[in-house]
Amino acid sequence: MSARTGRPWSRLLPNTAPWRSSRDFRLTWTSGTVTLLGSVFTMTAIPLQVADLTGSPLAVGAVGAVELVPTVLLGLYGGVLADRADRRTVALATEAALAVLSALLLVNAVLGTPALWPLYAAAGCAAALQGLQQPSVEAMIPRLVPHDQLVAAGALLSLRWSVAGVAAPATAGLVIATAGVPAAYLVDLATFLVSIALLAQVRPLPSERDAEAPQLRELAVGVRYVLRRPELAGTYLADLAATVFALPTVLFPFLAAESDALWALGLLYSAAAAGSLLAAATGGWTERVHRHGRLVLLSAALVGAATAAAAVCPGGIRSVLVCLAVAGAANWVGDTFRTAIWNQSIPDELRGRAAGLELLTGSAGPALGDVRAGSLAARYGVRAALRSGGLLCVASTGVLAAALPALWRYDPRTDPHVAAVRAAAARVAPRP
């Protein structure tokens, strides 16, 4: 792990060693950032077009339903594909297909009367392609940077999500308001073309396994591997606890209305991202922490505690925003150490399938959380749904800590799985 010198505060800054040591990581990071920023424009434009065409909140909500199933199903297959195919090739092919979808959305938007069905079709196809792509992209990283820089690489990858979450929605809204929906799709298309040009420069990353057609039954091998490692299974469960119980996004419009603060609705959506960005910008300390499993659990508990506090703290909507920002910062910490555990301890030949399972939990958790929060809010009120979700998150995290002591004790310095992966990485060191 590279040491940094200088003023004490400089030790809080993100470690850019992966950027300096690996050209392929720089290209991949930049490509992903450009794609993410552009995709927010389409994610903003599609619901807006559906709302304009139908005037129905149910029709807008159906966009999420159309996206969920392809993401889950194709994400699982994408995990198997990532362990069989060249990961860069998969990323490039899906990126090109996503660019075609943006072009079709642009054509539909400039028609005199845009059709509704292409919006749903594009949303479903884009979700399927992203499900295929994400496991390969995530599984690329440990082959692009040295093993001792994986924590720093994970923090840098989380940073781009934070930046996009804060800056991109506001920028997309401004572009759509001033230049119209077609401009949003044009921006997304342009970012895909830039991303493809960057990814094309990354070296090939062929599978080290026999070149056979991927089979879905191989997914069971990945599931059994995760279940045999309780500390690894615990990282998925901790993520589910946070997203199912303490991700109150569906409540934000009602929370703003109940607080007589509709002006703060946009701030409610961006508060967690702002907290995450602050944590990422001062996350250099994460490299000096070795109890990764403990931090995963404590971070999930803090997400729950901050969410519960948002329901009861005095000070009105401003206090709620602060609590949500704290939850976002804690979630960033948990994501960073979960990623570190996955990247440092999962063998390369299983990393794609593990990423596919992560995509499954990452997609199902928020969807289940919306159902939980919405149903409780309808019966008991918004604040009760917020408070109970936070407390359930804290309680479930405590149960996980007690039931999975291997996760609480996890330390990459002594973990045998990390040692095996480190030895394998040393035999095939990534080129700068």
Side-chain angles (χ1 to χ4, degrees):
M1 197 171 294
S2 57
R4 285 172 287 169
T5 59
R7 293 188 177 93
W9 59 264
S10 67
R11 295 170 65 83
L12 293 176
L13 299 178
N15 185 1
T16 58
W19 260 68
R20 298 193 303 271
S21 66
S22 173
R23 172 181 177 270
D24 286 336
F25 179 78
R26 290 195 299 273
L27 291 167
T28 303
W29 189 95
T30 307
S31 167
T33 302
V34 169
T35 291
L36 183 59
L37 291 170
S39 295
V40 172
F41 282 75
T42 292
M43 291 165 57
T44 304
I46 287 180
L48 181 61
Q49 269 197 296
V50 173
D52 287 343
L53 291 170
T54 66
S56 167
L58 180 61
V60 176
V63 175
V66 168
E67 292 173 336
L68 178 60
V69 173
T71 299
V72 172
L73 295 181
L74 273 297
L76 294 174
Y77 183 74
V80 177
L81 184 65
D83 289 333
R84 280 290 185 186
D86 185 309
R87 291 166 183 168
R88 187 202 66 157
T89 300
V90 174
L92 269 173
T94 49
E95 200 80 344
L98 286 165
V100 172
L101 280 179
S102 292
L104 294 174
L105 285 169
L106 175 60
V107 171
N108 184 61
V110 298
L111 295 175
T113 304
L116 179 63
W117 70 264
L119 301 177
Y120 287 107
C125 290
L129 289 167
Q130 288 162 354
L132 283 174
Q133 182 189 72
Q134 188 170 323
S136 287
V137 171
E138 291 186 6
M140 287 168 64
I141 304 304
R143 294 178 63 179
L144 300 181
V145 300
H147 190 268
D148 62 354
Q149 293 179 8
L150 285 173
V151 176
L156 290 174
L157 291 169
S158 297
L159 176 61
R160 72 185 185 191
W161 286 94
S162 304
V163 171
V166 172
T171 306
L174 180 62
V175 168
I176 292 172
T178 56
V181 167
Y185 296 133
L186 183 60
V187 169
D188 195 20
L189 175 59
T191 59
F192 276 126
L193 297 179
V194 172
S195 175
I196 291 168
L198 292 168
L199 274 178
Q201 300 177 60
V202 176
R203 63 185 170 89
L205 295 168
S207 171
E208 297 178 358
R209 304 170 67 199
D210 295 335
E212 299 176 3
Q215 302 292 327
L216 270 179
R217 64 173 178 270
E218 296 179 52
L219 180 62
V221 177
V223 173
R224 286 196 296 270
Y225 175 79
V226 170
L227 293 178
R228 284 198 301 267
R229 291 185 53 192
E231 77 283 5
L232 189 58
T235 63
Y236 294 92
L237 294 174
D239 188 33
L240 275 175
T243 54
V244 171
F245 296 128
L247 189 68
T249 307
V250 72
L251 301 178
F252 288 165
F254 307 99
L255 191 60
E258 185 180 280
S259 304
D260 194 24
L262 292 177
W263 56 268
L265 181 57
L267 295 176
L268 287 170
Y269 282 110
S270 60
S276 177
L277 179 59
L278 179 60
T282 58
W285 61 271
T286 55
E287 294 182 85
R288 298 185 291 279
V289 176
H290 301 290
R291 299 289 186 176
H292 294 177
R294 196 163 298 181
L295 263 294
V296 167
L297 291 167
L298 292 175
S299 297
L302 181 55
V303 170
T307 301
V312 299
C313 63
I317 199 69
R318 290 174 178 81
S319 296
V320 173
L321 292 171
V322 171
C323 291
L324 293 176
V326 171
N331 193 58
W332 178 87
V333 173
D335 282 345
T336 296
F337 287 109
R338 272 192 299 273
T339 301
I341 292 173
W342 296 334
N343 285 342
Q344 288 184 322
S345 70
I346 299 175
D348 183 75
E349 64 271 15
L350 289 165
R351 195 167 284 125
R353 279 164 285 182
L357 290 173
E358 188 273 330
L359 181 60
L360 170 62
T361 57
S363 302
L368 293 173
D370 283 349
V371 174
R372 183 208 65 82
S375 59
L376 283 179
R379 182 162 187 175
Y380 301 108
V382 173
R383 298 278 176 168
L386 201 61
R387 181 176 60 252
S388 63
L391 294 176
L392 283 170
C393 178
V394 174
S396 59
T397 304
V399 171
L400 287 175
L404 301 173
L407 178 59
W408 183 257
R409 296 193 303 264
Y410 176 88
D411 187 330
R413 296 171 298 181
T414 57
D415 186 82
H417 302 284
V418 173
V421 172
R422 183 185 296 115
R427 290 193 296 269
V428 188
R431 296 198 297 264

